Amino acid sequence: MPTVGLGVKEIRLTGADGQYRVLYVAKFSEAIYVLHVITKKRTQKTSTHDIAIAQGQYGKLIERRRAEKL
């Protein structure tokens, strides 16, 4: 999901009680980072609010990784 950040991927899950999406980053060797989990009810499109949350989490992750390298 390049609108969130480089390397961000999405998993779509469908269950009896609805649809879920997991936005994550798996490009780092030490871990897979889950940025945001979304419960979908009405539309297929991810809301701008949910994208903004994931973008914020991605930004925090990148900043934390940069600070650890210093």
Side-chain angles (χ1 to χ4, degrees):
M1 190 166 230
T3 56
V4 174
L6 293 173
V8 175
K9 304 288 185 188
E10 174 184 52
I11 297 174
R12 293 181 180 198
L13 304 165
T14 301
D17 56 343
Q19 294 184 343
Y20 305 91
R21 294 193 184 167
V22 179
L23 303 178
Y24 69 97
V25 178
K27 69 179 187 175
F28 305 115
S29 62
E30 75 278 3
I32 296 171
Y33 295 96
V34 175
L35 303 174
H36 191 47
V37 178
I38 305 159
T39 302
K40 300 297 291 175
K41 300 220 178 194
R42 296 185 182 121
T43 67
Q44 288 296 319
K45 187 175 178 183
T46 304
S47 75
T48 54
H49 175 73
D50 287 317
I51 290 174
I53 290 171
Q55 287 171 333
Q57 292 298 96
Y58 182 81
K60 289 177 188 176
L61 170 63
I62 298 302
E63 287 301 315
R64 186 173 68 226
R65 289 178 52 81
R66 283 185 187 148
E68 289 174 357
K69 286 185 178 182
L70 297 178

